[in-house]
Each structure stands twice: as C-alpha cells, then as structure tokens.
C-alpha cells in the first residue's frame, strides 16, 4: 500500500509550531536600505558583507561580459561550457588563497556535495562539527561513508572520535566561520588533531572570505594558519565578493579528481560567464579597498558595545554575524515582527536551521552600513518587550 502524502496537514503542523517559512519579495538591489514587499526598510540580514552586490564596478563587469559573451553558458563545463572567464576566475582564486588550483561550482551547496561525494565512499569515515552548515551535513550523510559528529568547536571530542579507528580515509569537516553564531572554528587545533590521526581537513570558509584576515583571505589568515595547510578549502562568491557561485581550492591532484568525479560539477550547466566576470571584479575590490574591512569591523564593535549596554544576550562573535538568541520560535518571530514594524528587516532563525531552544535573530552587518543605521537598529532592539530577550527568558 502506498504511503498517504498528507502535505496539507504537515504544513498546518509547521504553522502551529511557528516553524512555517514565508518569502518576502525584494524589489531593489541589495544594500543597507532596500525595498521589500512594497516598503523601504533598513536591512540587517544580508550576507553582502562588503557591500559589493550592487557596486558599480561589479555591475559593469557583469554587463560588459554579458554583452560580449551572452548570458547562458550553454552547457556543462566538460561539454563546452567552461569559458575563458571561468578559467581566469579559478586562477585568481587559487592565487588569492595561495593554493595550486581551483574549481568553480554553481553554488556552495553543490560544491560541498561534489567534494565530499567525490572523495568518500563506503568504508571511509567523515567527522563533522555539530553546527556545520546544512550543505556539509547533507553531503556527509549522503556520501556513503560512516558519518559522525563531534561537539561544536571541540578538538578534544574529535580526537576521541578519531582514536582507535581502522585504517582508511578520514575526512574532518568544519565551517571556518559558523553561519548562525559567527564564531570561528579552532582551526590550528583541528589541524593538529588531523595530523595525529592521518586525517584530511576540509574548511568551508564561506562567511570568512572577504571579512577577516589579511586582504580578506579569511579564517586561516586571521588565525595565522598557513593557507595551504587544510587539504580542502571551500568558499562562496555570493557573500563578501558580491556575485554568485562557489569555489574549491587545493592541490592540482584534488581539483583534477573533482573534475573527473564530482557529480554536482560534471552534471550541472556551468555558471554564466558574466557571473564569473562580476566575481573577478568583486575579488579585486576586496583586495584593493581594505577600508571596507576596517569600516566593517568598526560597525561590529559599535553594535556589540551598544548591545552590551542593553544587556542583550549576544553570542561571542567578532565577525559580521551577530546572533541574538531568544529561545523559542514564538519569541524570535515576535522580535522580527517588532523590528519590521519599525522599518528594519531581520529574519527569525528557527529549527531546523538552528538547534531547538536557540531560535534567534541573526543580525548581519555590512561595510555599507553607517554608524547612524547601526544606532537605529540598537534603539529598536532596546524597545523590544523585555520578556522576549531577557536572560531569564532565554535560560
């Protein structure tokens, strides 16, 4: 007998539990002030960390490339879709990360699925931080290897997991900057643990590149780790670099293995060449205009100092991601609605995106924000009903 697909009741249950997701409609370019659902609002939830998504040079690079090379790439990379602009971007990203080679993917999700699926199989072992991004968790679960999690940012627990295992491939995977909390992975300690157990280390630095480190080179640079130390380094182009897509860097042997075996690369139409041109422009601005990171760090400090004065329960983060944990989905939704009514957009993050009991406002700051805009956000947070964010309510 076939299973009854009662979709309507499942959707109703989501609504009842305050876990139902809705999509607002953006009607403008990304920026600190945006038009959403017909309203002008101040946005504090975008990943446009350096304010490059609508930068004139990035826009012009995409327009010029589209005029010269068209819009669609026309095919997968291994058929006839690998364009000169893709190659130039791969070479630039390999140089930026100090590694031998680079491979472009259409999204960060596809990059993580492709890498993990190409490298691991039955009999192998994969170990992931409990708070890794969903794309990493999904890829680890689906690759066929034995999947294990270790406690968040705990090299000690990872060491226990790795001890006494039979010989075979072992891959340890961690975000560089964790997407919901904004804290950093203990990469030096993870590396040391991996070396002891002959495991490879993969770092997804989607939220680190552009924001921290020398010239925006991310978490490894920020922590003083050699850029070529982890065997696999993943990044995205749709956050600080202002474009779209993702990349994987490592040895030439790694990249050639992915070209041959990463199904999400082989069987996907290549990204538009114009997007690669835009990403090249964003990468160049990221390295040239260092004031953007300086200003961004100033906005982060301003927000955290103001939040401390309000006794807001922020997590420990020195990155643009600032989490205000409120506990229940109801509290997070109420806080988000309060800000929306005041003309500020901050999305409520609820399970399964975050663990149960940690629903929150995920506030993100950008180099495009001004001090006055940050102060306006703080004032609206100060006006939140006390019961939503008091430490007693979140305990």
């Amino acid at each position: 007998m076939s299973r009854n697909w009662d979709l309507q009741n499942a959707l109703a249950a989501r609504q009842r539990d305050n876990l139902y997701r809705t999509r607002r409609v953006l009607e403008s370019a990304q920026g600190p002030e945006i038009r959403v659902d017909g309203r002008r609002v101040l946005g504090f939830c975008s990943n446009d960390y350096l304010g490059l998504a609508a930068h004139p040079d990035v826009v012009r690079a995409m327009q010029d490339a589209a005029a010269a090379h068209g819009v669609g790439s026309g095919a997968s990379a291994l058929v006839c879709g690998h364009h000169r602009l893709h190659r130039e971007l791969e070479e630039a990203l390999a140089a930026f990360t100090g590694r031998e080679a680079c491979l472009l993917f259409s999204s960060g999700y596809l990059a993580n699925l492709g890498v993990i699926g190409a490298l691991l199989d039955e009999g192998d072992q994969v170990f992931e931080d409990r708070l890794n991004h969903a794309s990493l968790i999904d890829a680890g679960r689906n690759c066929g290897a034995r999947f294990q999690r270790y406690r968040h940012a705990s090299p000690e627990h990872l060491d226990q997991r790795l001890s006494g295992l039979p010989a075979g491939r072992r891959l340890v995977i961690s975000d560089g900057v964790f997407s919901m909390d904004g804290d950093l992975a203990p990469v030096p300690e993870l590396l040391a643990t991996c070396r002891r157990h002959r495991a490879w280390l993969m770092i997804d630095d989607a939220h680190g590149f552009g924001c921290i480190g020398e010239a925006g080179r991310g978490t490894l640079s920020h922590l003083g780790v050699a850029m070529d130390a982890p065997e696999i380094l993943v990044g995205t182009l749709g956050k600080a670099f202002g474009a779209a897509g993702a990349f994987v860097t490592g040895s030439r042997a790694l990249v050639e293995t992915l070209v041959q075996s990463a199904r999400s690369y082989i069987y996907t139409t290549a990204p538009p060449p114009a997007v690669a041109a835009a990403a090249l422009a964003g990468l160049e601005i990221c390295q040239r205009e260092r004031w953007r990171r300086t200003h961004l760090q100033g906005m982060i400090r301003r927000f955290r100092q103001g939040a401390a004065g309000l006794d807001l329960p922020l997590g420990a983060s020195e990155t643009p991601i600032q989490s205000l944990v409120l506990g229940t989905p109801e509290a997070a939704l109420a806080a988000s609605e309060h800000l929306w009514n005041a003309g500020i957009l901050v999305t409520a993050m609820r399970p399964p995106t975050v663990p149960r009991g940690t629903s929150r406002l995920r506030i993100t700051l950008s180099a495009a924000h001004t001090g006055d805009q940050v102060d306006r956000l703080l004032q609206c947070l100060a006006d939140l009903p006390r019961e939503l964010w008091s430490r007693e309510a979140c305990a």
Side-chain angles (χ1 to χ4, degrees):
M1 181 181 295
S2 63
R3 181 170 59 90
N4 181 27
W5 288 18
D6 194 351
L7 302 182
Q8 203 58 52
N9 279 345
L11 291 172
R14 273 187 170 271
Q15 289 180 312
R16 183 186 65 243
D17 295 338
N18 291 294
L19 300 177
Y20 197 84
R21 305 179 188 193
T22 59
R23 297 181 294 172
R24 296 191 183 276
V25 179
L26 179 68
E27 301 167 356
S28 67
Q30 285 291 351
E33 294 185 4
I34 52 180
R35 184 172 181 84
V36 178
D37 289 349
R39 294 182 56 189
R40 297 295 302 182
V41 295
L42 185 57
F44 281 96
C45 54
S46 165
N47 293 329
D48 183 24
Y49 298 130
L50 295 184
L52 299 183
H55 190 285
D57 291 353
V58 176
V59 173
R60 190 178 306 111
M62 189 170 188
Q63 290 172 333
D64 291 348
H69 305 294
V71 176
S73 62
S76 64
L78 294 181
V79 176
C80 63
H82 183 56
H83 196 274
R84 171 180 57 82
L85 289 169
H86 296 140
R87 184 185 66 190
E88 290 179 9
L89 178 56
E90 287 175 345
E91 292 172 347
L93 288 166
F96 177 69
T97 57
R99 299 164 82 83
E100 287 183 356
C102 172
L103 190 67
L104 294 179
F105 284 80
S106 296
S107 72
Y109 204 106
L110 291 178
N112 287 329
L113 286 176
V115 172
I116 298 169
L119 295 180
L120 297 178
D121 206 340
E122 291 183 10
D124 298 327
Q125 308 262 351
V126 59
F127 304 84
E128 297 205 24
D129 188 293
R130 189 166 293 278
L131 295 186
N132 272 354
H133 188 266
S135 62
L136 295 169
I137 299 296
D138 289 354
R141 284 173 168 166
N142 294 334
C143 69
R146 184 187 178 196
F147 175 80
Q148 297 187 60
R149 289 182 172 183
Y150 60 90
R151 286 193 293 272
H152 176 54
S154 175
E156 298 80 12
H157 191 223
L158 173 62
D159 185 76
Q160 294 173 20
R161 292 284 199 191
L162 286 165
S163 297
L165 293 175
R169 289 183 176 179
R170 304 167 183 180
L171 178 62
V172 174
I173 306 172
S174 176
D175 282 330
V177 174
F178 289 90
S179 61
M180 288 296 113
D181 293 284
D183 57 329
L184 304 181
V187 180
E189 293 82 5
L190 293 177
L191 269 170
T193 303
C194 288
R195 296 297 177 265
R196 281 197 302 275
H197 295 280
R198 297 188 177 183
W200 276 20
L201 179 62
M202 173 176 168
I203 296 294
D204 182 342
D205 210 17
H207 297 274
F209 281 122
C211 303
I212 57 177
E214 192 273 330
R217 287 187 170 85
T219 301
L220 303 184
S221 173
H222 180 76
L223 296 176
V225 176
M227 293 296 292
D228 61 352
E231 285 77 8
I232 308 163
L233 186 58
V234 179
T236 55
L237 301 165
K239 297 179 174 62
F241 299 129
F247 61 94
V248 179
T249 64
S251 68
R252 293 193 188 282
L254 169 69
V255 168
E256 284 306 309
T257 297
L258 299 180
V259 170
Q260 303 302 318
S261 303
R263 294 173 66 84
S264 62
Y265 176 80
I266 297 168
Y267 301 110
T268 299
T269 298
V275 171
L280 274 165
L283 177 62
E284 193 277 329
I285 295 169
C286 167
Q287 295 174 86
R288 182 185 75 230
E289 297 185 356
R290 301 188 179 208
W291 65 264
R292 291 180 181 273
R293 272 178 299 284
T294 302
H295 179 71
L296 176 58
Q297 289 301 317
M299 294 300 96
I300 294 169
R301 288 192 297 273
R302 189 183 189 114
F303 176 75
R304 289 191 65 82
Q305 289 168 1
L310 297 173
D311 198 32
L312 293 175
L314 289 183
S317 168
E318 53 191 297
T319 70
I321 301 166
Q322 300 293 316
S323 252
L324 178 57
V325 176
L326 300 172
T328 66
E330 294 82 359
L333 286 171
S336 179
E337 186 68 15
H338 173 89
L339 293 178
W340 173 255
N341 291 335
I344 294 178
L345 178 62
V346 179
T347 306
M349 295 296 176
R350 296 157 289 158
T353 303
V354 296
R356 292 190 179 278
T358 69
S359 292
R360 68 194 63 190
L361 296 180
R362 178 184 180 268
I363 297 162
T364 55
L365 299 159
S366 168
H369 284 125
T370 66
D372 288 345
Q373 290 169 336
V374 172
D375 291 345
R376 181 180 161 195
L377 170 63
L378 287 165
Q379 181 56 58
C380 290
L381 290 172
D383 293 338
L384 281 175
R386 176 83 187 189
E387 62 269 18
L388 293 181
W389 57 266
S390 69
R391 295 186 184 276
E392 293 77 13
C394 298

